Amino acid sequence: MNRNPICEMLDIEYPVIQGGMAWIADADLASAVSNAGGLGLIAAMNSNGEQLREQIIKAKKLTDKPFGVNLMLMSPYIDEAVEVVCQEKIKVVTTGAGNPAKYMQKLIDNGVKVICVVASVALAVMVERMGACAVVAEGCESGGHVGDTTTMALVPQVVDAVNIPVIAAGGIADGRGMAAAFMLGARAVQMGTRFLTAKECNVHPNYKEKVLKAGDRDTIVTGKSLGHPVRALKNNMTRQFFKMENDKNTLPEELEKMGAGALRRAAIDGDVKSGSCMCGQIAGLVKSEDSCKKIVTEIYSDACNLLGHEFV
Ligand code: TUI
């Protein structure tokens, strides 16, 4: 019998959750991760209500396993997304990049399990009180929007502060990382960068190739001055952004303008020079394009071999 609390709560086989990557995590990727026995997620960030509904309907056709939706709280479509999630009877959502207070009760009242991505102990404690069923403690090794505490420091502090299960994210891409996360007290892992290079991931091939070729020092965080720091692969765009951000004559609006649409340019159009290739520091470890089935089963069996099956 599987006694892992996250597997029991979500009715999944392996305690492996896919990151809700904006412009990347669509029905194809989410259903492939769910069919592999993990929890796949559709990113709501880049879709209006009807586009999100289309992806949900598609995923329902592609898998009979549970899957969820990631609600990015800074999204212009967040209100529509919450509405569609409730209407489509989505079983679980993850929230990220903000405080989900405004939406918690509505989601819970509609029977949606809410797992909040947090980058601090304070927010973890707050969302537990609001009814979150688990938290993802996401360290700053992650790609995309990041906090400033590392996974190694954040996870055990969040584990000690809350009574709900903790899912670790940031810098995890193989069985060693998963085993380490479990040793810190996490009961599951969330991975973005590893699934970004999955065979079933529809991100533009240029982006995938850049991630597969990246080394350990190839990411950079920009956007701190705007209040939303983002980790992405170094390229023309991030170098220019970094330079302008450190120039006191640059106006915040100029930076906002540069950042707007940058993820879409890289993920959809394949412009990996002037677009933003968000990805985590663990990219240097990810060297092959594998199926979601291989990713999920291999990371779990490697972690089991390191930890002992009863522990995972
Ligand atoms: O949300 C993410 N990662 C993301 S969202 C994203 S989309 C984007 N597109 C363009 C520009 C910027 C972002 C790409 N990657 N991860 C979850 C996460 N949430 N990481 C950190 C946090 C977080 C940080 C601060 C959550 C809450 C918070 O403070 C909330 C508060 O008000 O206390």
Side-chain angles (χ1 to χ4, degrees), residues 123-240:
L123 190 61
V125 170
M126 209 185 295
V127 298
E128 177 180 35
R129 271 198 225 116
M130 291 191 277
C133 66
V135 287
V136 178
E138 191 183 276
C140 59
E141 298 92 323
S142 295
H145 185 76
V146 286
D148 43 29
T149 307
T150 62
T151 303
M152 178 73 105
L154 182 67
V155 172
Q157 295 188 72
V158 172
V159 167
D160 284 354
V162 298
N163 293 304
I164 47 179
V166 176
I167 300 156
I172 302 167
D174 69 3
R176 295 170 297 179
M178 183 167 176
F182 275 65
M183 293 309 292
L184 297 174
R187 306 305 304 271
V189 294
Q190 178 193 276
M191 298 191 293
T193 303
R194 185 77 204 268
F195 286 118
L196 179 56
T197 60
K199 284 205 167 92
E200 297 91 341
C201 179
N202 293 323
V203 71
H204 195 285
N206 296 353
Y207 193 143
K208 217 183 257 192
E209 190 189 322
K210 207 167 160 65
V211 174
L212 289 169
K213 284 191 174 151
D216 58 334
R217 301 184 62 215
D218 289 345
T219 70
I220 186 171
V221 175
T222 57
K224 254 195 167 162
S225 62
L226 297 175
H228 44 90
V230 165
R231 183 180 299 285
L233 287 173
K234 290 174 185 167
N235 64 0
N236 286 356
M237 137 85 178
T238 57
R239 267 186 275 271
Q240 174 78 9

Side-chain angles (χ1 to χ4, degrees), residues 82-112:
V82 170
E83 200 57 48
V84 170
V85 158
C86 294
Q87 287 167 359
E88 293 297 327
K89 307 208 178 319
I90 291 296
K91 292 198 182 78
V92 57
V93 298
T94 59
T95 67
N99 186 330
K102 186 177 163 197
Y103 306 101
M104 285 300 282
Q105 207 51 51
K106 182 179 168 95
L107 289 163
I108 293 168
D109 289 348
N110 279 276
V112 184

Side-chain angles (χ1 to χ4, degrees), residues 11-136:
D11 193 23
I12 56 176
E13 200 176 343
Y14 304 106
V16 177
I17 295 166
Q18 168 230 315
M21 299 168 284
W23 289 106
I24 295 170
D26 59 8
D28 288 329
L29 182 62
S31 60
V33 175
S34 289
N35 282 331
L39 183 76
L41 293 169
I42 295 168
M45 156 67 187
N46 48 284
S47 313
N48 64 28
E50 288 321 300
Q51 290 164 330
L52 175 62
R53 197 190 306 279
E54 263 173 44
Q55 290 295 311
I56 292 170
I57 291 168
K58 187 172 176 194
K60 283 178 181 168
K61 288 193 182 124
L62 294 170
T63 185
D64 52 12
K65 302 261 174 69
F67 67 89
V69 168
N70 171 259
L71 297 170
M72 200 284 207
L73 296 161
M74 278 159 43
S75 162
Y77 307 114
I78 181 67
D79 291 307
E80 292 174 42
V82 170
E83 200 57 48
V84 170
V85 158
C86 294
Q87 287 167 359
E88 293 297 327
K89 307 208 178 319
I90 291 296
K91 292 198 182 78
V92 57
V93 298
T94 59
T95 67
N99 186 330
K102 186 177 163 197
Y103 306 101
M104 285 300 282
Q105 207 51 51
K106 182 179 168 95
L107 289 163
I108 293 168
D109 289 348
N110 279 276
V112 184
K113 292 190 175 85
V114 185
I115 300 178
C116 303
V117 183
V118 301
S120 68
V121 167
L123 190 61
V125 170
M126 209 185 295
V127 298
E128 177 180 35
R129 271 198 225 116
M130 291 191 277
C133 66
V135 287
V136 178

